[in-house]
């Protein structure tokens, strides 16, 4: 890594060094995978379906108003991970997590209107 990429200037004009793992793609993947795993665990706890049936069932009932609490609870870990990223100043990682969260929310909101 060149010296140019090791440093950044924050909003106050201070020079700081980049943190390890501060990567947009990594934040995006964490933001997609973490809620997906939690959603599958929550739905499995109620239905006891196999994995292929579980994914199909989740997509079919995603527009159902009874399913909304599961979606909200599955997106909550992203909030806690974002708080950690914010406190440790991993801005690119946090940006990827936010984009993934909005993408998932948009996916389920669009599914609700598709019917």
């Amino acid at each position: 890594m060149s010296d140019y990429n090791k440093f950044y200037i924050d909003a106050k004009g201070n020079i700081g060094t980049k943190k390890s793992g501060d990567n947009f793609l990594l934040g995006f993947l964490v933001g997609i995978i973490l809620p997906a795993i939690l959603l599958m665990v929550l739905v499995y706890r109620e239905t006891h379906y196999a994995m292929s049936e579980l994914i199909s069932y989740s997509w079919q009932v995603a527009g159902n108003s009874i399913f909304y609490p599961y979606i909200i609870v599955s997106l909550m870990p992203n909030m806690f991970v974002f708080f950690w990223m914010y406190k440790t100043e991993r801005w690119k990682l946090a940006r990827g997590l936010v984009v993934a969260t909005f993408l998932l929310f948009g996916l389920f909101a669009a599914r609700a209107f598709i019917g």
Side-chain angles (χ1 to χ4, degrees):
M1 181 183 286
S2 68
D3 288 339
Y4 178 77
N5 291 329
K6 290 182 182 179
F7 301 101
Y8 70 94
I9 299 175
D10 65 4
K12 295 179 183 177
N14 301 323
I15 296 176
T17 58
K18 289 188 177 180
K19 310 286 195 245
S20 64
D22 192 14
N23 187 349
F24 177 84
L25 184 60
L26 183 61
F28 185 79
L29 290 175
V30 167
I32 293 287
I33 293 171
L34 188 64
I37 289 172
L38 187 58
L39 182 64
M40 292 299 131
V41 167
L42 290 171
V43 172
Y44 176 76
R45 206 179 79 197
E46 295 293 323
T47 62
H48 300 292
Y49 287 157
M51 184 57 77
S52 61
E53 296 170 328
L54 197 60
I55 294 170
S56 172
Y57 173 78
S58 296
W59 182 249
Q60 288 174 357
V61 298
N64 189 345
S65 64
I66 297 172
F67 198 67
Y68 292 147
Y70 290 111
I71 295 169
I72 292 169
V73 169
S74 70
L75 290 174
M76 278 184 156
N78 280 2
M79 177 180 60
F80 298 115
V81 173
F82 177 79
F83 180 72
W84 172 78
M85 290 174 186
Y86 180 78
K87 284 297 191 185
T88 58
E89 296 181 351
R90 287 175 166 82
W91 307 118
K92 289 181 182 177
L93 202 60
R95 191 177 304 139
L97 184 85
V98 169
V99 168
T101 302
F102 278 120
L103 181 75
L104 285 174
F105 180 76
L107 179 72
F108 282 111
R111 176 65 180 114
F113 291 112
I114 289 172

